[in-house]
Amino acid sequence: MILTVTLNTALDITYRVPSLRPHAEHRVSEVVERPGGKGVNVARVLAALGYAVTVTGFAGGPTGQVLRERLADTPGITDALVPVAGPTRRTIAVVDQRVGDTTQLNEPGPHIDPAEWAAFLRAYDTLLADASAVALCGSLPPGVPVGAYAGLIRVARTAGVPVLLDTGGEPLRRGIAARPDIVKPNAAELAELTGSHEPARATRDARRRGAQAVVASLGAEGLLAATPEGHWRAAPPARLRGNPTGAGDAAVAGLLSGLVDGLAWPARLTRATALSAAAVLAPTAGEFDPADYTRLLMAATVTDEESAA
């Protein structure tokens, strides 16, 4: 079983409009609701690939109830979310169909009190016993300690479970020092962590801060990886137009499944790049078309950065 942790789950709502214009009234052509939050998106991709996945984190209020009902409809995913008093947040994505861009609005999430946090820690410790790997994903809701991910990484390491961390800001800074197996920042998170806007240098610097491997998500330019086996750049065959929301989460699913399957790093990066690109072509986060994935898996390229240098 692969475990994904989403402390700040969300009910993702996607609106599609013909054209998004400031200060104007819009007629929505389509509305889609999905259980969301980064780790939930990762779980949905893993389940679609055929892996058994357990989702944990927090859920509360009416939106949390809808999230859990929708999650129950997803084959391959086990719900181990911890109930809380506060309502689960919503995220609103507005897709401009004319240009293909997406505008994202994210609520902060419920306040987690000490008793709720303690309940989660007990659940997490129990779930690790059956986990082959764990992904710690996304922002922290109010009330959760800023060093929460660092603590969860240490617990997983003690249990002998490999950990992937995907977050930003101070939680990333503290978490990376706890020596996770993989860290997957995006370009902005990487620059904030290291102070460098040169991706190759920043990726190497981030790895020196404690992570065994750092895989930076560079949007349309693909992935840049600094690992114990070497340094690689992976890219899709062409720049893709679509909805980038959830593309990074699909990449996490590729990296995590590659770790569980024991793939060498170039193969992990090819899988992650193809899933990320396929997610861009999908209408909502946490989904991909298997045909797109297969086609992109054959076409993705991985370059040895050390040889190129």
Side-chain angles (χ1 to χ4, degrees):
M1 174 268 286
I2 298 176
L3 178 64
T4 70
V5 175
T6 312
L7 296 177
N8 211 2
T9 56
L11 183 64
D12 287 344
I13 303 170
T14 301
Y15 294 133
R16 302 181 73 85
V17 298
S19 177
L20 183 62
R21 303 179 308 280
H23 317 298
E25 182 176 310
H26 297 79
R27 188 173 296 278
V28 177
S29 59
E30 182 184 16
V31 181
V32 177
E33 284 189 350
R34 292 287 188 277
K38 294 180 73 63
V40 174
N41 293 337
V42 171
R44 216 161 40 239
V45 173
L46 286 168
L49 290 170
Y51 296 87
V53 193
T54 295
V55 171
T56 191
F58 298 110
T63 49
Q65 182 61 35
V66 173
L67 184 152
R68 301 188 81 161
E69 290 171 357
R70 299 293 175 86
L71 205 57
D73 294 333
T74 308
I77 294 181
T78 299
D79 175 359
L81 294 167
V82 176
V84 294
T88 294
R89 67 189 177 127
R90 296 165 298 176
T91 66
I92 311 296
V94 184
V95 179
D96 184 327
Q97 295 174 294
R98 180 176 60 86
V99 298
D101 288 342
T102 301
T103 299
Q104 190 85 14
L105 304 173
N106 297 330
E107 296 179 357
H111 186 276
I112 306 301
D113 68 29
E116 291 167 338
W117 178 240
F120 169 78
L121 292 176
R122 291 191 297 271
Y124 177 72
D125 190 58
T126 300
L127 290 166
L128 284 175
D130 296 319
S132 55
V134 58
L136 307 175
C137 302
S139 61
L140 301 178
V144 171
V146 71
Y149 283 139
L152 297 180
I153 291 166
R154 294 187 187 100
V155 172
R157 286 176 60 83
T158 299
V161 180
V163 186
L164 185 152
L165 176 64
D166 182 13
T167 189
E170 189 62 21
L172 171 60
R173 190 179 306 277
R174 298 197 187 194
I176 200 170
R179 304 186 61 80
D181 294 83
I182 305 173
V183 170
K184 196 217 69 65
N186 61 32
E189 292 162 348
L190 185 65
E192 182 182 5
L193 174 68
T194 65
S196 173
H197 291 273
E198 202 290 301
R201 178 181 304 156
T203 303
R204 288 172 168 82
D205 181 19
R207 183 167 179 253
R208 286 192 291 270
R209 292 168 186 254
Q212 294 186 38
V214 176
V215 181
S217 178
L218 306 179
E221 297 180 17
L223 303 173
L224 187 63
T227 82
E229 297 176 20
H231 300 82
W232 290 277
R233 184 182 295 271
R239 184 177 292 270
L240 302 172
R241 178 179 173 180
N243 180 6
T245 306
D249 304 331
V252 168
L255 294 171
L256 204 62
S257 62
L259 184 156
V260 169
D261 291 344
L263 298 183
W265 270 103
R268 293 189 207 182
L269 295 167
T270 301
R271 179 182 291 183
T273 300
L275 282 170
S276 179
V280 170
L281 299 177
T284 55
E287 295 184 356
F288 66 94
D289 185 318
D292 286 336
Y293 169 55
T294 300
R295 172 176 56 84
L296 291 162
L297 187 65
M298 299 295 294
T301 60
V302 177
T303 304
D304 187 329
E305 288 290 284
E306 292 176 336
S307 298

